[in-house]
Amino acid sequence: VLRRYERARHDENALMLAAMDLFKRAFGSRNPILVVGRNLGLAAAGRLGPVRRAFMRQALGLGADLPTLARA
């Protein structure tokens, strides 16, 4: 059961790790171009409800088909 869960979550976890790495790099940089790009991206994501909800669902782990035991 745990192996099936691990396989089901692997891609979702890898995507979230990549996104967190991108956030770390974007917020750790003082490059003016990155600062403007990150600020514009965050402002756009905050104003676009469907985009914001998609990010939240992904971050909560609700974006994939989960095994029966992992469903809320």
Side-chain angles (χ1 to χ4, degrees), residues 23-35:
F23 275 118
K24 179 183 174 194
R25 291 174 189 268
F27 282 96
S29 175
R30 295 184 188 269
N31 180 325
I33 295 171
L34 282 177
V35 170

Side-chain angles (χ1 to χ4, degrees), residues 13-29 34:
N13 288 340
L15 180 61
M16 187 55 60
L17 285 171
M20 291 300 105
D21 186 56
L22 180 64
F23 275 118
K24 179 183 174 194
R25 291 174 189 268
F27 282 96
S29 175
L34 282 177

